[in-house]
Amino acid sequence: MTEKKTSEAQLKASRKWAETHKEQRRYISYKATAKRFIKIASDEDLATLAQMIKDRQDETR
């Protein structure tokens, strides 16, 4: 049997943090997904994303 590298206390603390920070977890997940997608996106996808980013930046100004 393999030995766990993470203590039970650390696992409990991690679960508690995840439960109390749902929005932050979702944000981190979306950000990571976007970064992975950019690595494999076609030129057309990148152009669409660039336009979406520009539109979003214009909205926040």
Side-chain angles (χ1 to χ4, degrees):
M1 185 173 202
T2 60
E3 190 174 326
K4 291 184 180 179
K5 293 183 179 182
T6 307
S7 71
E8 192 61 38
Q10 182 62 52
L11 291 172
K12 183 178 176 184
S14 294
R15 285 191 294 266
K16 182 179 178 184
W17 183 90
E19 185 63 31
T20 58
H21 295 87
K22 289 181 180 182
E23 286 296 318
Q24 190 171 358
R25 281 183 32 225
R26 184 177 297 128
Y27 175 84
I28 292 167
S29 176
Y30 287 164
K31 184 177 176 180
T33 301
K35 286 180 173 184
R36 283 191 302 270
F37 178 72
I38 287 171
K39 291 179 182 180
I40 64 166
S42 68
D43 288 341
E44 183 179 338
D45 290 334
L46 292 174
T48 302
L49 286 171
Q51 184 60 49
M52 291 173 71
I53 291 168
K54 182 182 178 304
D55 292 345
R56 176 71 170 95
Q57 288 174 328
D58 290 345
E59 285 176 12
T60 60
R61 289 185 185 153

